[in-house]
Amino acid sequence: MKNYSKEFKVGIIALLSGMILYFGVRFLKGIDLFSSTSTYYAVYDDIGGLKLSNSVMLNGFAVGRVSEIEFVPKLGNKMLVSLDIENNIEIAQGSIVALEDEGLLGGKMINLKFTDKNSIHEEGDTLKSEIVGGMVASLEETASPIIMKLEKTLTAVNLLLDSLNGMTGDMKGAMSNVESLTAGADNIVKRNSRDIELMLDSLKLLSGNLATASRGMPAMIDNFNSFSDSLKQMPLVETVEGAQATLAALKTTLDGINEGQGTMGKLMKDEAMYNNLNTALLSLDTLLTDFEEHPKRYIHFSVFGKKDK
């Protein structure tokens, strides 16, 4: 033993170091050093950074590792992944080996998803595979619509700002016009301040007169109430009935006159009587006229009792 060469000793030490490193890595990955494994296969379109020795997980516990990754042109340039899984794990038919993110840092792992079927896969079978988008992919999907909306909003804001920049000159002109109008209004108020004061005094006087008049309103209302009470107490019904009776009698009289009844009716309807009366009035008028002109023809007067010729 003492005559062993230095090269032999170095080889033994290197071999032991390699074995310690291999089994140490497997131990750190949670793989039982003394358990045997079975190899299964999975095919992926894109492994997304999956590497050798990445874990195969079942319910959050490491039950195997990725042992080999091959590029297979015959399968349409897909990736064939070999999975070493512990023998005590029975994989039911239809189970899925999902390629997922291992954490926020972007590492990959294979996640076993079992089914309730009773039939079991044999060693060397190709398992059903799928690719599950990780947290980063979910964030990208969620953030993409928000980013698009933000871009549209920023575009609208830019257009609004451009419009406001174009309106700045118009706003300045409008402000100048407003200032001019304000200055003109101030000048008008200053020039007519005396008239405005007189108007305000008149308004105060008018309001005082209205207040004075309002104080006399209660008495006026009382008088009106008394007048209305008096009207209520008047025999309006009897008065109206008497007026109606009078109007009915007047109507009867007028109807009789229109029919030629009575003296007034005969005067209005009998033309011969009207002509005789008119002739009599003319004769009387002639007689009165002759009497005024020749009174001696009708009156004889003598102082001594003699008859005048």
Side-chain angles (χ1 to χ4, degrees):
M1 290 289 179
K2 296 181 180 179
N3 296 325
Y4 289 147
S5 63
K6 293 182 179 179
E7 290 81 1
F8 180 76
K9 293 179 180 179
V10 171
I12 294 296
I13 293 172
L15 179 60
L16 293 174
S17 299
M19 292 176 65
I20 292 172
L21 178 62
Y22 173 75
F23 289 107
V25 170
R26 288 175 61 87
F27 178 77
L28 292 174
K29 287 182 176 291
I31 300 174
D32 191 353
L33 299 178
F34 303 101
S35 64
S36 59
T37 60
S38 300
T39 301
Y40 300 90
Y41 299 96
V43 179
Y44 298 98
D45 294 331
D46 186 352
I47 59 175
L50 182 69
K51 297 179 181 179
L52 295 176
S53 299
N54 282 159
S55 300
V56 178
M57 308 294 292
L58 175 61
N59 298 331
F61 181 74
V63 295
R65 66 183 183 89
V66 176
S67 60
E68 189 176 357
I69 299 174
E70 296 182 28
F71 179 74
V72 185
K74 292 182 180 180
L75 297 177
N77 297 328
K78 294 184 179 182
M79 307 301 294
L80 178 63
V81 179
S82 300
L83 307 174
D84 290 344
I85 300 175
E86 297 177 4
N87 285 334
N88 61 345
I89 303 298
E90 295 182 349
I91 303 175
Q93 292 284 343
S95 297
I96 299 173
V97 283
L99 178 61
E100 300 180 0
D101 287 341
E102 190 173 8
L104 294 175
L105 298 179
K108 294 293 183 179
M109 69 175 185
I110 303 297
N111 190 20
L112 272 174
K113 297 180 180 180
F114 282 176
T115 61
D116 296 332
K117 293 183 179 179
N118 295 326
S119 57
I120 305 300
H121 275 291
E122 298 292 337
E123 182 179 2
D125 287 349
T126 300
L127 305 179
K128 186 177 180 180
S129 62
E130 70 175 11
I131 299 175
V132 178
M135 186 177 295
V136 176
S138 300
L139 289 175
E140 288 179 355
E141 293 178 358
T142 305
S144 295
I146 298 175
I147 292 173
M148 293 179 64
K149 290 181 180 179
L150 286 174
E151 290 178 352
K152 292 181 180 179
T153 304
L154 290 175
T155 302
V157 170
N158 290 329
L159 293 174
L160 179 60
L161 291 176
D162 293 337
S163 301
L164 291 176
N165 289 331
M167 293 173 60
T168 304
D170 297 335
M171 291 181 67
K172 289 181 178 179
M175 292 300 295
S176 299
N177 294 331
V178 171
E179 291 177 356
S180 300
L181 290 173
T182 304
D186 291 339
N187 293 329
I188 292 172
V189 172
K190 289 179 181 179
R191 288 196 301 268
N192 298 278
S193 60
R194 180 58 183 171
D195 295 335
I196 293 173
E197 290 178 357
L198 293 175
M199 187 185 300
L200 292 175
D201 293 338
S202 299
L203 288 174
K204 290 180 181 179
L205 181 61
L206 177 61
S207 62
N209 293 334
L210 289 175
T212 302
S214 64
R215 288 194 293 269
M217 289 295 292
M220 186 182 299
I221 294 172
D222 294 337
N223 294 333
F224 183 77
N225 292 332
S226 300
F227 178 70
S228 62
D229 293 338
S230 300
L231 286 177
K232 290 180 180 179
Q233 296 175 0
M234 290 178 64
L236 293 177
V237 177
E238 293 80 357
T239 304
V240 170
E241 291 177 352
Q244 290 177 347
T246 303
L247 291 174
L250 180 59
K251 182 176 182 301
T252 303
T253 302
L254 292 175
D255 292 338
I257 292 173
N258 289 329
E259 292 175 359
Q261 298 176 2
T263 304
M264 290 295 295
K266 291 180 180 180
L267 286 174
M268 294 181 65
K269 296 295 183 178
D270 192 350
E271 186 177 355
M273 183 176 181
Y274 170 76
N275 290 331
N276 293 332
L277 181 60
N278 192 25
T279 302
L281 290 174
L282 289 175
S283 299
L284 179 60
D285 183 66
T286 302
L287 177 61
L288 291 174
T289 301
D290 184 67
F291 180 77
E292 289 178 355
E293 292 177 355
H294 308 284
K296 293 181 178 181
R297 292 181 182 178
Y298 305 95
I299 298 173
H300 300 280
F301 181 76
S302 174
V303 176
F304 301 102
K306 290 183 177 181
K307 294 182 179 180
D308 293 335
K309 293 181 181 183

